[in-house]
Amino acid sequence: MDVSFDKETGIGPTDPNGKLTAEEKALLGDIQGNILKSHGRDHSRHLFITFDTAKAKEARAWLAQLSKTKVTSALKQWDDSRVRAEIFEKSKKAEDPEAYLSVELSKKPSSIFVNVMLSAKGYDALGLSGKKPADGIFGGGAAGAVDRLSDPPKKDWETPFKGDLHALVIIADDDPGKVAAEAKTITDSLKVGKVVNTEIGRALRRGKNGPVHEHFGFVDGVSDPLFFAKDIPKSSKQWNPGAPLKLALAKDPGGHAKTGYGSFLVYRKLEQDVDQFNQDRHELAKALAKEDNRTEPNHADRELAGAYLVGRFPDGFPVSEKATPDGADKDIPNNFNFSADTDGLKCPFQAHIRKTNPRGDTTRLGGTLKQERTHRISRRAISYESKGKVGLLFLCVQSNIENQFEFMQSAWVNAPGFVQSEPPTGLDPVVGQGKAVKQQWPAKYGSDKKVPLSLKQSVHMKGGEYFFMPSMGFLKGVEKTG
């Protein structure tokens, strides 16, 4: 097909009001939404399903019906997003933008969004082993990655994640009542298995329609790869957020020869210990104050300490960049790299955003930027709060779990010698797992003098699984497959 999977210039028109080509429509109509772009809804429910293996044929029929009537394609997502984009664009010219958005979005609410995906064991349970992606990492599931990722053993995971999970259905909308009702409808329709676990997600925002943040208080999901031409900024000299389709899409063995693509999804429930994170932040702020001959840290110390840990201030402004009058009030900066901070004197090498997206750091170790960019993932996470615990339902899509998520986690996030071995940079202070080492932090912003400090782990993996999001064509015809 004429759609390029290699170019980083994006699919579709550059003009937000432009039209898709016939081949682009065909491709987007055959892949699920939430792969090339986040669904963007504020509320979701994740239904984990185990099928009755004795009723595989009936289970395939249920899956086909669900896909024909509920599952959202990327083409449907494209059409819906254009309506919402027009509303947000017009709000910029309104006398009261917030009031305008509130009225117009209520007139044209988003439609309920549904995804469905299968684990390797799910394919087997449905009698679809021959249509399963031939990927050993996917086949081993999240449990098979425990040693590679320094995860806790499966016996220590939350109970619902200890058993076999065959499928995951994601339901999302801005109205939590609609999400709950749709989840009940889908659950009640399932007579060939059972929903063994439900996770409830809710987006946390800075302001009613502001950017999403997580429970530590920092803006989240700023630097995801962009796959649509209309979303890629024209001026991206320091960092190009554009990505080729092959970064997210993998051929679906059971799909259409030309348009049948899916994506591998990594699911991890990450519990956040907010008290521990704040304690670490406070200890680092105290160390910074001490270097300035003060006994107690002030607000600036605490803000800088948090930015050292994450790599951005809570509003999303990068700690490595020169402050501007607007800060992050307009657009959260993403057009930057670390070429002016090669010694980590402003943004430490171990900072979360530098560990997970080095922006060229690895080229100083003999690698290439082109290769580094192949390890990027597309995050589709959402926060949760349950029984007094808070955290992140971490989801990411990619075309190759081994080369993307697992590489990032093991070779960057968990690697004490990432970019610099002496002194070691240590673990990512947000999501790193493994043996902690004393880390070096800039005593003063931009200074080569460092203060050593060891941090404790504040994010804990509670369970997860690897899934594949099949093509729409495969799902709709799965009743006759087997």
Side-chain angles (χ1 to χ4, degrees):
M1 62 190 310
D2 290 338
V3 178
S4 173
F5 275 61
D6 298 310
K7 293 181 180 179
E8 294 190 335
T9 50
I11 186 176
T14 55
D15 179 359
N17 298 312
K19 296 181 179 180
L20 297 167
T21 67
E23 291 213 328
E24 289 171 337
K25 281 187 175 182
L27 177 64
L28 295 183
D30 203 13
I31 63 176
Q32 293 191 57
N34 206 31
I35 295 176
L36 298 181
K37 190 169 185 175
S38 169
H39 60 65
R41 274 70 166 174
D42 280 357
H43 297 273
S44 66
R45 292 201 178 208
H46 303 167
L47 310 181
F48 291 90
I49 295 170
T50 297
F51 294 117
D52 181 347
T53 55
K55 298 179 179 179
K57 183 178 180 180
E58 293 88 344
R60 294 197 300 271
W62 176 85
L63 186 60
Q65 183 63 20
L66 177 75
S67 303
K68 292 173 184 176
T69 59
K70 305 283 188 183
V71 176
T72 308
S73 71
L75 183 60
K76 176 70 164 59
Q77 182 182 3
W78 166 273
D79 291 337
D80 288 350
S81 69
R82 293 186 66 172
V83 173
R84 291 176 67 82
E86 183 179 344
I87 293 174
F88 275 90
E89 190 61 33
K90 287 183 177 180
S91 75
K92 296 177 182 178
K93 300 176 182 178
E95 185 175 338
D96 186 338
E98 285 293 331
Y100 179 87
L101 284 173
S102 180
V103 171
E104 293 302 313
L105 290 176
S106 64
K107 289 180 183 177
K108 300 177 181 178
S110 59
S111 57
I112 292 179
F113 198 100
V114 178
N115 275 139
V116 65
M117 56 210 75
L118 300 172
S119 68
K121 290 184 177 179
Y123 275 93
D124 296 339
L126 291 170
L128 298 170
S129 299
K131 302 297 182 181
K132 179 171 60 178
D135 183 293
I137 297 296
F138 168 65
V146 164
D147 291 338
R148 296 193 299 272
L149 304 182
S150 299
D151 283 339
K154 190 172 184 178
K155 67 180 180 62
D156 294 338
W157 293 1
E158 289 185 354
T159 300
F161 291 101
K162 292 180 180 179
D164 291 343
L165 302 173
H166 295 156
L168 169 62
V169 175
I170 294 177
I171 304 143
D173 194 82
D174 287 328
D175 184 338
K178 289 183 179 179
V179 173
E182 189 65 59
K184 184 178 186 305
T185 297
I186 291 175
T187 300
D188 290 346
S189 72
L190 181 63
K191 309 298 183 184
V192 289
K194 60 188 293 188
V195 174
V196 294
N197 184 34
T198 299
E199 298 292 344
I200 300 176
R202 178 174 70 88
L204 308 175
R205 292 189 179 274
R206 296 174 67 87
K208 187 175 181 180
N209 293 297
V212 172
H213 67 87
E214 42 69 58
H215 284 287
F216 291 152
F218 291 77
V219 166
D220 198 24
V222 176
S223 58
D224 275 325
L226 303 178
F227 297 97
F228 288 102
K230 67 181 180 63
D231 295 332
I232 301 173
K234 294 180 181 178
S235 177
S236 301
K237 295 181 180 179
Q238 301 299 317
W239 178 253
N240 175 20
L245 294 179
K246 66 181 181 182
L247 193 72
L249 298 180
K251 202 73 182 74
D252 181 356
H256 187 277
K258 288 186 177 181
T259 60
Y261 287 87
S263 190
F264 292 99
L265 182 138
V266 171
Y267 193 107
R268 291 162 73 81
K269 184 175 183 179
L270 304 178
E271 184 178 293
Q272 293 176 265
D273 187 338
V274 178
D275 289 341
Q276 183 59 59
F277 178 85
N278 288 337
Q279 180 62 33
D280 283 341
R281 183 179 180 182
H282 180 69
E283 290 300 321
L284 181 52
K286 280 172 59 178
L288 299 179
K290 185 178 179 181
E291 287 296 319
D292 202 29
N293 297 314
R294 289 179 285 110
T295 56
E296 290 298 323
N298 56 29
H299 177 72
D301 295 321
R302 288 189 289 272
E303 287 292 288
L304 183 57
Y308 278 168
L309 297 174
V310 176
R312 293 181 185 267
F313 289 94
D315 66 358
F317 199 88
V319 69
S320 61
E321 298 304 289
K322 185 177 180 180
T324 64
D326 291 325
D329 288 341
K330 288 188 176 180
D331 293 317
I332 298 173
N334 191 40
N335 183 26
F336 69 94
N337 57 41
F338 302 113
S339 61
D341 186 30
T342 55
D343 293 321
L345 306 182
K346 296 177 180 178
C347 181
F349 292 127
Q350 63 265 31
H352 174 62
I353 71 163
R354 197 160 185 170
K355 276 271 198 175
T356 55
N357 190 7
R359 296 175 185 254
D361 271 348
T362 61
T363 62
R364 296 194 297 278
L365 301 178
T368 65
L369 181 60
K370 182 179 180 180
Q371 181 61 35
E372 180 188 290
R373 289 169 65 82
T374 67
H375 301 305
R376 290 179 293 167
I377 57 173
S378 299
R379 299 171 74 260
R380 302 292 181 253
I382 191 166
S383 293
Y384 76 86
E385 183 172 356
S386 176
K387 299 178 181 178
K389 303 292 186 180
V390 301
L392 195 70
L393 301 174
F394 175 87
L395 295 79
C396 71
V397 294
Q398 58 259 289
S399 60
N400 188 305
I401 296 175
E402 182 178 20
N403 187 57
Q404 291 171 263
F405 172 74
E406 286 203 3
F407 181 93
M408 178 184 293
Q409 192 73 19
S410 60
W412 293 349
V413 170
N414 293 345
F418 168 77
V419 177
Q420 174 181 287
S421 57
E422 287 298 332
T425 55
L427 307 177
D428 178 328
V430 179
V431 295
Q433 298 184 135
K435 185 178 180 181
V437 299
K438 267 194 176 179
Q439 295 172 297
Q440 304 295 315
W441 307 89
K444 291 183 182 294
Y445 184 73
S447 167
D448 58 3
K449 184 179 180 182
K450 302 293 181 70
V451 292
L453 186 69
S454 294
L455 305 177
K456 294 183 179 179
Q457 190 172 331
S458 55
V459 173
H460 304 276
M461 193 271 202
K462 309 302 287 185
E465 186 53 284
Y466 290 168
F467 295 94
F468 186 73
M469 300 172 68
S471 63
M472 297 294 294
F474 169 75
L475 289 170
K476 292 178 179 179
V478 74
E479 182 178 5
K480 300 176 183 179
T481 306

PDB file of all heavy atoms in Angstrom, residues 415-447:
ATOM      1  N   ALA A 415      19.147   0.486  34.699  1.00  0.00           N
ATOM      2  CA  ALA A 415      20.593   0.330  34.528  1.00  0.00           C
ATOM      3  C   ALA A 415      21.367   1.389  35.321  1.00  0.00           C
ATOM      4  O   ALA A 415      21.296   2.581  34.994  1.00  0.00           O
ATOM      5  CB  ALA A 415      20.955   0.428  33.053  1.00  0.00           C
ATOM      6  N   PRO A 416      22.116   0.984  36.349  1.00  0.00           N
ATOM      7  CA  PRO A 416      22.878   1.950  37.160  1.00  0.00           C
ATOM      8  C   PRO A 416      23.929   2.690  36.337  1.00  0.00           C
ATOM      9  O   PRO A 416      24.293   3.820  36.665  1.00  0.00           O
ATOM     10  CB  PRO A 416      23.533   1.085  38.244  1.00  0.00           C
ATOM     11  CG  PRO A 416      22.710  -0.160  38.282  1.00  0.00           C
ATOM     12  CD  PRO A 416      22.248  -0.387  36.881  1.00  0.00           C
ATOM     13  N   GLY A 417      24.430   2.053  35.258  1.00  0.00           N
ATOM     14  CA  GLY A 417      25.469   2.676  34.453  1.00  0.00           C
ATOM     15  C   GLY A 417      24.947   3.371  33.217  1.00  0.00           C
ATOM     16  O   GLY A 417      25.709   3.628  32.277  1.00  0.00           O
ATOM     17  N   PHE A 418      23.675   3.698  33.187  1.00  0.00           N
ATOM     18  CA  PHE A 418      23.065   4.371  32.041  1.00  0.00           C
ATOM     19  C   PHE A 418      23.801   5.673  31.729  1.00  0.00           C
ATOM     20  O   PHE A 418      23.948   6.538  32.590  1.00  0.00           O
ATOM     21  CB  PHE A 418      21.603   4.659  32.360  1.00  0.00           C
ATOM     22  CG  PHE A 418      20.920   5.605  31.398  1.00  0.00           C
ATOM     23  CD1 PHE A 418      20.511   5.159  30.154  1.00  0.00           C
ATOM     24  CD2 PHE A 418      20.691   6.923  31.746  1.00  0.00           C
ATOM     25  CE1 PHE A 418      19.871   6.018  29.277  1.00  0.00           C
ATOM     26  CE2 PHE A 418      20.047   7.797  30.870  1.00  0.00           C
ATOM     27  CZ  PHE A 418      19.648   7.345  29.638  1.00  0.00           C
ATOM     28  N   VAL A 419      24.310   5.794  30.504  1.00  0.00           N
ATOM     29  CA  VAL A 419      25.030   6.966  29.987  1.00  0.00           C
ATOM     30  C   VAL A 419      26.371   7.178  30.688  1.00  0.00           C
ATOM     31  O   VAL A 419      27.381   7.477  30.053  1.00  0.00           O
ATOM     32  CB  VAL A 419      24.172   8.250  30.078  1.00  0.00           C
ATOM     33  CG1 VAL A 419      24.966   9.458  29.599  1.00  0.00           C
ATOM     34  CG2 VAL A 419      22.922   8.096  29.220  1.00  0.00           C
ATOM     35  N   GLN A 420      26.391   7.010  31.996  1.00  0.00           N
ATOM     36  CA  GLN A 420      27.628   7.255  32.757  1.00  0.00           C
ATOM     37  C   GLN A 420      27.818   6.166  33.800  1.00  0.00           C
ATOM     38  O   GLN A 420      26.932   5.914  34.611  1.00  0.00           O
ATOM     39  CB  GLN A 420      27.539   8.629  33.436  1.00  0.00           C
ATOM     40  CG  GLN A 420      28.688   8.956  34.364  1.00  0.00           C
ATOM     41  CD  GLN A 420      28.503  10.332  34.999  1.00  0.00           C
ATOM     42  OE1 GLN A 420      28.661  11.352  34.354  1.00  0.00           O
ATOM     43  NE2 GLN A 420      28.150  10.343  36.279  1.00  0.00           N
ATOM     44  N   SER A 421      28.967   5.498  33.771  1.00  0.00           N
ATOM     45  CA  SER A 421      29.201   4.392  34.708  1.00  0.00           C
ATOM     46  C   SER A 421      29.924   4.815  35.977  1.00  0.00           C
ATOM     47  O   SER A 421      29.762   4.201  37.024  1.00  0.00           O
ATOM     48  CB  SER A 421      29.988   3.275  34.012  1.00  0.00           C
ATOM     49  OG  SER A 421      31.212   3.762  33.503  1.00  0.00           O
ATOM     50  N   GLU A 422      30.749   5.866  35.892  1.00  0.00           N
ATOM     51  CA  GLU A 422      31.489   6.341  37.066  1.00  0.00           C
ATOM     52  C   GLU A 422      31.412   7.857  37.186  1.00  0.00           C
ATOM     53  O   GLU A 422      31.903   8.568  36.309  1.00  0.00           O
ATOM     54  CB  GLU A 422      32.951   5.893  36.987  1.00  0.00           C
ATOM     55  CG  GLU A 422      33.173   4.422  37.244  1.00  0.00           C
ATOM     56  CD  GLU A 422      32.745   3.977  38.635  1.00  0.00           C
ATOM     57  OE1 GLU A 422      32.779   4.819  39.567  1.00  0.00           O
ATOM     58  OE2 GLU A 422      32.349   2.817  38.794  1.00  0.00           O
ATOM     59  N   PRO A 423      30.813   8.341  38.260  1.00  0.00           N
ATOM     60  CA  PRO A 423      30.007   7.569  39.212  1.00  0.00           C
ATOM     61  C   PRO A 423      28.713   7.108  38.545  1.00  0.00           C
ATOM     62  O   PRO A 423      28.234   7.769  37.620  1.00  0.00           O
ATOM     63  CB  PRO A 423      29.730   8.578  40.337  1.00  0.00           C
ATOM     64  CG  PRO A 423      29.749   9.906  39.651  1.00  0.00           C
ATOM     65  CD  PRO A 423      30.787   9.794  38.579  1.00  0.00           C
ATOM     66  N   PRO A 424      28.158   5.989  38.998  1.00  0.00           N
ATOM     67  CA  PRO A 424      26.956   5.461  38.354  1.00  0.00           C
ATOM     68  C   PRO A 424      25.765   6.401  38.507  1.00  0.00           C
ATOM     69  O   PRO A 424      25.616   7.069  39.531  1.00  0.00           O
ATOM     70  CB  PRO A 424      26.718   4.134  39.087  1.00  0.00           C
ATOM     71  CG  PRO A 424      27.409   4.292  40.406  1.00  0.00           C
ATOM     72  CD  PRO A 424      28.595   5.144  40.127  1.00  0.00           C
ATOM     73  N   THR A 425      24.948   6.452  37.494  1.00  0.00           N
ATOM     74  CA  THR A 425      23.756   7.302  37.562  1.00  0.00           C
ATOM     75  C   THR A 425      22.698   6.684  38.473  1.00  0.00           C
ATOM     76  O   THR A 425      21.878   7.391  39.047  1.00  0.00           O
ATOM     77  CB  THR A 425      23.148   7.503  36.166  1.00  0.00           C
ATOM     78  OG1 THR A 425      22.889   6.233  35.581  1.00  0.00           O
ATOM     79  CG2 THR A 425      24.091   8.267  35.270  1.00  0.00           C
ATOM     80  N   GLY A 426      22.698   5.358  38.602  1.00  0.00           N
ATOM     81  CA  GLY A 426      21.709   4.691  39.446  1.00  0.00           C
ATOM     82  C   GLY A 426      20.395   4.468  38.723  1.00  0.00           C
ATOM     83  O   GLY A 426      20.297   4.596  37.501  1.00  0.00           O
ATOM     84  N   LEU A 427      19.364   4.130  39.483  1.00  0.00           N
ATOM     85  CA  LEU A 427      18.047   3.813  38.930  1.00  0.00           C
ATOM     86  C   LEU A 427      17.258   5.083  38.629  1.00  0.00           C
ATOM     87  O   LEU A 427      17.497   6.138  39.218  1.00  0.00           O
ATOM     88  CB  LEU A 427      17.247   2.967  39.930  1.00  0.00           C
ATOM     89  CG  LEU A 427      17.888   1.694  40.472  1.00  0.00           C
ATOM     90  CD1 LEU A 427      16.965   1.052  41.503  1.00  0.00           C
ATOM     91  CD2 LEU A 427      18.183   0.716  39.348  1.00  0.00           C
ATOM     92  N   ASP A 428      16.303   4.951  37.730  1.00  0.00           N
ATOM     93  CA  ASP A 428      15.305   6.004  37.537  1.00  0.00           C
ATOM     94  C   ASP A 428      14.608   6.192  38.890  1.00  0.00           C
ATOM     95  O   ASP A 428      14.056   5.250  39.447  1.00  0.00           O
ATOM     96  CB  ASP A 428      14.298   5.533  36.476  1.00  0.00           C
ATOM     97  CG  ASP A 428      13.167   6.510  36.203  1.00  0.00           C
ATOM     98  OD1 ASP A 428      12.746   7.226  37.126  1.00  0.00           O
ATOM     99  OD2 ASP A 428      12.688   6.533  35.065  1.00  0.00           O
ATOM    100  N   PRO A 429      14.614   7.418  39.459  1.00  0.00           N
ATOM    101  CA  PRO A 429      14.044   7.625  40.793  1.00  0.00           C
ATOM    102  C   PRO A 429      12.526   7.504  40.846  1.00  0.00           C
ATOM    103  O   PRO A 429      11.950   7.490  41.944  1.00  0.00           O
ATOM    104  CB  PRO A 429      14.492   9.056  41.143  1.00  0.00           C
ATOM    105  CG  PRO A 429      14.696   9.716  39.836  1.00  0.00           C
ATOM    106  CD  PRO A 429      15.202   8.650  38.906  1.00  0.00           C
ATOM    107  N   VAL A 430      11.870   7.397  39.705  1.00  0.00           N
ATOM    108  CA  VAL A 430      10.416   7.279  39.696  1.00  0.00           C
ATOM    109  C   VAL A 430       9.982   5.831  39.474  1.00  0.00           C
ATOM    110  O   VAL A 430       9.231   5.275  40.273  1.00  0.00           O
ATOM    111  CB  VAL A 430       9.791   8.193  38.623  1.00  0.00           C
ATOM    112  CG1 VAL A 430       8.266   8.041  38.617  1.00  0.00           C
ATOM    113  CG2 VAL A 430      10.156   9.653  38.883  1.00  0.00           C
ATOM    114  N   VAL A 431      10.446   5.180  38.414  1.00  0.00           N
ATOM    115  CA  VAL A 431       9.970   3.831  38.095  1.00  0.00           C
ATOM    116  C   VAL A 431      11.083   2.789  38.066  1.00  0.00           C
ATOM    117  O   VAL A 431      10.847   1.642  37.673  1.00  0.00           O
ATOM    118  CB  VAL A 431       9.201   3.804  36.753  1.00  0.00           C
ATOM    119  CG1 VAL A 431       7.936   4.621  36.842  1.00  0.00           C
ATOM    120  CG2 VAL A 431      10.085   4.292  35.609  1.00  0.00           C
ATOM    121  N   GLY A 432      12.282   3.152  38.481  1.00  0.00           N
ATOM    122  CA  GLY A 432      13.380   2.197  38.477  1.00  0.00           C
ATOM    123  C   GLY A 432      13.187   1.087  39.490  1.00  0.00           C
ATOM    124  O   GLY A 432      12.627   1.290  40.566  1.00  0.00           O
ATOM    125  N   GLN A 433      13.660  -0.122  39.164  1.00  0.00           N
ATOM    126  CA  GLN A 433      13.594  -1.276  40.063  1.00  0.00           C
ATOM    127  C   GLN A 433      14.947  -1.958  40.078  1.00  0.00           C
ATOM    128  O   GLN A 433      15.612  -2.056  39.051  1.00  0.00           O
ATOM    129  CB  GLN A 433      12.516  -2.265  39.603  1.00  0.00           C
ATOM    130  CG  GLN A 433      11.119  -1.695  39.606  1.00  0.00           C
ATOM    131  CD  GLN A 433      10.057  -2.722  39.241  1.00  0.00           C
ATOM    132  OE1 GLN A 433       9.024  -2.816  39.885  1.00  0.00           O
ATOM    133  NE2 GLN A 433      10.299  -3.495  38.206  1.00  0.00           N
ATOM    134  N   GLY A 434      15.337  -2.445  41.242  1.00  0.00           N
ATOM    135  CA  GLY A 434      16.633  -3.096  41.376  1.00  0.00           C
ATOM    136  C   GLY A 434      17.348  -2.578  42.615  1.00  0.00           C
ATOM    137  O   GLY A 434      16.751  -1.946  43.494  1.00  0.00           O
ATOM    138  N   LYS A 435      18.644  -2.825  42.677  1.00  0.00           N
ATOM    139  CA  LYS A 435      19.436  -2.416  43.835  1.00  0.00           C
ATOM    140  C   LYS A 435      19.790  -0.939  43.732  1.00  0.00           C
ATOM    141  O   LYS A 435      20.411  -0.492  42.769  1.00  0.00           O
ATOM    142  CB  LYS A 435      20.716  -3.255  43.914  1.00  0.00           C
ATOM    143  CG  LYS A 435      21.542  -2.980  45.162  1.00  0.00           C
ATOM    144  CD  LYS A 435      22.767  -3.877  45.212  1.00  0.00           C
ATOM    145  CE  LYS A 435      23.587  -3.585  46.467  1.00  0.00           C
ATOM    146  NZ  LYS A 435      24.806  -4.435  46.518  1.00  0.00           N
ATOM    147  N   ALA A 436      19.400  -0.186  44.757  1.00  0.00           N
ATOM    148  CA  ALA A 436      19.657   1.247  44.757  1.00  0.00           C
ATOM    149  C   ALA A 436      21.121   1.532  45.056  1.00  0.00           C
ATOM    150  O   ALA A 436      21.767   0.824  45.827  1.00  0.00           O
ATOM    151  CB  ALA A 436      18.768   1.940  45.784  1.00  0.00           C
ATOM    152  N   VAL A 437      21.650   2.564  44.421  1.00  0.00           N
ATOM    153  CA  VAL A 437      23.015   3.026  44.699  1.00  0.00           C
ATOM    154  C   VAL A 437      22.943   4.515  45.012  1.00  0.00           C
ATOM    155  O   VAL A 437      21.976   5.194  44.675  1.00  0.00           O
ATOM    156  CB  VAL A 437      23.951   2.797  43.483  1.00  0.00           C
ATOM    157  CG1 VAL A 437      24.036   1.332  43.143  1.00  0.00           C
ATOM    158  CG2 VAL A 437      23.481   3.603  42.280  1.00  0.00           C
ATOM    159  N   LYS A 438      23.985   5.028  45.678  1.00  0.00           N
ATOM    160  CA  LYS A 438      24.030   6.457  45.949  1.00  0.00           C
ATOM    161  C   LYS A 438      24.143   7.212  44.642  1.00  0.00           C
ATOM    162  O   LYS A 438      24.989   6.899  43.806  1.00  0.00           O
ATOM    163  CB  LYS A 438      25.207   6.793  46.868  1.00  0.00           C
ATOM    164  CG  LYS A 438      24.838   6.821  48.336  1.00  0.00           C
ATOM    165  CD  LYS A 438      25.894   7.480  49.180  1.00  0.00           C
ATOM    166  CE  LYS A 438      25.391   7.559  50.628  1.00  0.00           C
ATOM    167  NZ  LYS A 438      26.389   8.181  51.521  1.00  0.00           N
ATOM    168  N   GLN A 439      23.279   8.196  44.497  1.00  0.00           N
ATOM    169  CA  GLN A 439      23.258   8.961  43.257  1.00  0.00           C
ATOM    170  C   GLN A 439      23.792  10.374  43.488  1.00  0.00           C
ATOM    171  O   GLN A 439      23.690  10.925  44.587  1.00  0.00           O
ATOM    172  CB  GLN A 439      21.831   9.010  42.698  1.00  0.00           C
ATOM    173  CG  GLN A 439      21.323   7.639  42.296  1.00  0.00           C
ATOM    174  CD  GLN A 439      19.852   7.646  41.932  1.00  0.00           C
ATOM    175  OE1 GLN A 439      19.002   7.926  42.753  1.00  0.00           O
ATOM    176  NE2 GLN A 439      19.547   7.328  40.687  1.00  0.00           N
ATOM    177  N   GLN A 440      24.354  10.938  42.437  1.00  0.00           N
ATOM    178  CA  GLN A 440      24.931  12.273  42.517  1.00  0.00           C
ATOM    179  C   GLN A 440      23.944  13.295  41.944  1.00  0.00           C
ATOM    180  O   GLN A 440      23.463  13.141  40.827  1.00  0.00           O
ATOM    181  CB  GLN A 440      26.241  12.329  41.721  1.00  0.00           C
ATOM    182  CG  GLN A 440      27.278  11.293  42.149  1.00  0.00           C
ATOM    183  CD  GLN A 440      27.759  11.524  43.571  1.00  0.00           C
ATOM    184  OE1 GLN A 440      28.054  12.658  43.966  1.00  0.00           O
ATOM    185  NE2 GLN A 440      27.858  10.452  44.336  1.00  0.00           N
ATOM    186  N   TRP A 441      23.662  14.342  42.722  1.00  0.00           N
ATOM    187  CA  TRP A 441      22.714  15.367  42.331  1.00  0.00           C
ATOM    188  C   TRP A 441      23.406  16.729  42.317  1.00  0.00           C
ATOM    189  O   TRP A 441      24.230  17.007  43.192  1.00  0.00           O
ATOM    190  CB  TRP A 441      21.528  15.407  43.298  1.00  0.00           C
ATOM    191  CG  TRP A 441      20.867  14.071  43.476  1.00  0.00           C
ATOM    192  CD1 TRP A 441      21.186  13.118  44.391  1.00  0.00           C
ATOM    193  CD2 TRP A 441      19.808  13.530  42.690  1.00  0.00           C
ATOM    194  NE1 TRP A 441      20.388  12.017  44.244  1.00  0.00           N
ATOM    195  CE2 TRP A 441      19.522  12.246  43.201  1.00  0.00           C
ATOM    196  CE3 TRP A 441      19.058  14.022  41.620  1.00  0.00           C
ATOM    197  CZ2 TRP A 441      18.534  11.441  42.669  1.00  0.00           C
ATOM    198  CZ3 TRP A 441      18.067  13.215  41.094  1.00  0.00           C
ATOM    199  CH2 TRP A 441      17.800  11.938  41.609  1.00  0.00           C
ATOM    200  N   PRO A 442      23.121  17.588  41.352  1.00  0.00           N
ATOM    201  CA  PRO A 442      23.757  18.911  41.318  1.00  0.00           C
ATOM    202  C   PRO A 442      23.475  19.682  42.603  1.00  0.00           C
ATOM    203  O   PRO A 442      22.313  19.864  42.984  1.00  0.00           O
ATOM    204  CB  PRO A 442      23.100  19.588  40.109  1.00  0.00           C
ATOM    205  CG  PRO A 442      22.610  18.460  39.246  1.00  0.00           C
ATOM    206  CD  PRO A 442      22.208  17.386  40.201  1.00  0.00           C
ATOM    207  N   ALA A 443      24.553  20.114  43.275  1.00  0.00           N
ATOM    208  CA  ALA A 443      24.389  20.855  44.532  1.00  0.00           C
ATOM    209  C   ALA A 443      23.687  22.186  44.290  1.00  0.00           C
ATOM    210  O   ALA A 443      22.882  22.641  45.105  1.00  0.00           O
ATOM    211  CB  ALA A 443      25.744  21.080  45.188  1.00  0.00           C
ATOM    212  N   LYS A 444      24.040  22.804  43.198  1.00  0.00           N
ATOM    213  CA  LYS A 444      23.367  24.016  42.745  1.00  0.00           C
ATOM    214  C   LYS A 444      23.037  23.848  41.275  1.00  0.00           C
ATOM    215  O   LYS A 444      23.768  23.178  40.541  1.00  0.00           O
ATOM    216  CB  LYS A 444      24.265  25.245  42.955  1.00  0.00           C
ATOM    217  CG  LYS A 444      24.487  25.634  44.419  1.00  0.00           C
ATOM    218  CD  LYS A 444      25.331  26.897  44.513  1.00  0.00           C
ATOM    219  CE  LYS A 444      25.605  27.277  45.955  1.00  0.00           C
ATOM    220  NZ  LYS A 444      24.357  27.674  46.653  1.00  0.00           N
ATOM    221  N   TYR A 445      21.979  24.447  40.845  1.00  0.00           N
ATOM    222  CA  TYR A 445      21.550  24.305  39.459  1.00  0.00           C
ATOM    223  C   TYR A 445      22.656  24.750  38.507  1.00  0.00           C
ATOM    224  O   TYR A 445      23.140  25.875  38.571  1.00  0.00           O
ATOM    225  CB  TYR A 445      20.294  25.140  39.221  1.00  0.00           C
ATOM    226  CG  TYR A 445      19.711  24.998  37.839  1.00  0.00           C
ATOM    227  CD1 TYR A 445      19.054  23.831  37.467  1.00  0.00           C
ATOM    228  CD2 TYR A 445      19.823  26.024  36.906  1.00  0.00           C
ATOM    229  CE1 TYR A 445      18.514  23.695  36.189  1.00  0.00           C
ATOM    230  CE2 TYR A 445      19.286  25.895  35.631  1.00  0.00           C
ATOM    231  CZ  TYR A 445      18.640  24.730  35.272  1.00  0.00           C
ATOM    232  OH  TYR A 445      18.112  24.597  34.010  1.00  0.00           O
ATOM    233  N   GLY A 446      23.092  23.825  37.638  1.00  0.00           N
ATOM    234  CA  GLY A 446      24.131  24.132  36.668  1.00  0.00           C
ATOM    235  C   GLY A 446      25.550  24.005  37.193  1.00  0.00           C
ATOM    236  O   GLY A 446      26.508  24.201  36.444  1.00  0.00           O
ATOM    237  N   SER A 447      25.697  23.639  38.455  1.00  0.00           N
ATOM    238  CA  SER A 447      27.033  23.524  39.062  1.00  0.00           C
ATOM    239  C   SER A 447      27.549  22.100  38.932  1.00  0.00           C
ATOM    240  O   SER A 447      26.772  21.140  38.940  1.00  0.00           O
ATOM    241  CB  SER A 447      26.966  23.916  40.537  1.00  0.00           C
ATOM    242  OG  SER A 447      28.150  23.536  41.217  1.00  0.00           O
TER     243      SER A 447
END
